[in-house]
Every structure is written in structure tokens, then in C-alpha cells.
Amino acid sequence: MMATTETLRSVLRTSRGQPILKLKSADQRASLALDLLSLGSRAALGVSFLLSVSDRLGFYGNPGERGVSWGTFERFLEYAAKVNAFAPAWMMPFLGTAATVLELLFGVALVLGLALRWAAFGSAGLLFLFGSAMAISFGIKSPFDYSVFTAMCCALFLGLAGSNRWTVGSLL
């Protein structure tokens, strides 16, 4: 443990041995930690939503190509029908479109830090619904295999304790 702490301290120093960050109190360290965790959580969730939407709209290529999960919105709707196997088929276009629009809105809002609490709680709700649908259709292990509930908890953290530092919302 000491070697790790010393290694970290040496990384956080300039070439002249001066600390990069001069945090004098535990409150300053806690505040910086909250700001960094919030920024990282916003980026991870927001970019994940935006990448998923980009894939289902075909921005990464055709179905079957490397790195492409869906490639077309129609293939995404087929997946949505499997996830929501308990729902009637006529609901799939609505559910798939609603999920896509919400992921796009939440993704942009999280990345930019706009209406952060609303975006965070909305993301948590959407992820809860997705994880629950996966659990019902594929079994309880499935949403844990894809860390859906982990992402949901990250969104809850942002909504409850997230920092507004480094957001567009804080500039308005």
C-alpha cells in the first residue's frame, strides 16, 4: 500500500517535485473527488447512450461488420422485440423509437451537463426499465452481464450527489 501511495504522489508532482494540486483540506479533496466522479460518470453514461444510438442509426456501418451491433434501426427493433418479449408486437416501433429518442436526449444532456438532475434521473429510470425487461425476457443474470444496473446506479449517483462543475448548465 505504501509503495502505491508513494507512486501516486510522485505522479502528482511536477518535474521539480512540487505538488500539481495543492489541496489543503479534506473538504477540498472531497469536492475535487465529487467533481471528477461526476464528470467521469456523465461522460461514461452520455457517450454510451450516444454510441448506442449512432449504431442503431447505421453510423458505424452495416450489420455484421466489425464493431456494429445493429447497423439499422430495423435490426434494433428486432432486438427490442426480444428484450420486450412480454409486450405485444404492435408496441415495438413505439418502444424502440421512444428508447432511441430518450437515449439521444439524455446522452446530449449528460455530456454537456444540461438539466443534469433531470437527465440523470431520467437515465436511471430508462436503465431500470431496460434492465427489468431484460431480466423478465432473458433471466436475471442478463442485465448484470451487461452492467445495466451498474449504469443505473451511476445515473442515480449523478442525480443525487453529482456536481454541476464543468457543465454547460453552470454557465447559464
Side-chain angles (χ1 to χ4, degrees):
M1 180 73 172
M2 287 301 279
T4 305
T5 304
E6 290 305 317
T7 303
L8 182 59
R9 284 186 181 146
S10 69
V11 168
L12 295 176
R13 294 187 181 279
T14 65
S15 59
R16 295 185 178 140
Q18 300 297 318
I20 292 173
L21 298 171
K22 294 182 181 179
L23 302 176
K24 296 178 181 175
S25 71
D27 286 343
Q28 287 177 323
R29 289 189 298 274
S31 178
L32 179 61
L34 179 63
D35 292 341
L36 292 172
L37 285 170
S38 297
L39 180 63
S41 297
R42 283 179 29 227
L45 284 171
V47 170
S48 293
F49 282 147
L50 295 175
L51 291 175
S52 183
V53 169
S54 298
D55 185 359
R56 70 185 72 151
L57 296 179
F59 294 163
Y60 296 117
N62 296 316
E65 290 181 10
R66 185 172 182 245
V68 177
S69 295
W70 300 294
T72 66
F73 192 69
E74 291 73 26
R75 282 182 49 109
F76 170 71
L77 289 179
E78 291 171 14
Y79 173 73
K82 293 176 187 173
V83 170
N84 297 284
F86 52 86
W90 61 266
M91 286 185 76
M92 288 313 112
F94 169 75
L95 291 176
T97 302
T100 300
V101 168
L102 288 173
E103 286 180 39
L104 177 63
L105 291 174
F106 293 150
V108 169
L110 289 167
V111 168
L112 295 178
L114 293 169
L116 188 55
R117 289 181 60 118
W118 286 99
F121 285 132
S123 297
L126 184 62
L127 288 162
F128 175 76
L129 292 173
F130 176 54
S132 298
M134 286 180 81
I136 292 167
S137 297
F138 303 137
I140 191 64
K141 186 176 176 291
S142 184
F144 288 100
D145 287 346
Y146 291 95
S147 302
V148 176
F149 295 129
T150 304
M152 180 193 76
C153 288
C154 184
L156 285 174
F157 158 75
L158 277 174
L160 293 170
S163 164
N164 281 322
R165 192 167 180 192
W166 303 315
T167 66
V168 171
S170 68
L171 301 175
L172 300 176

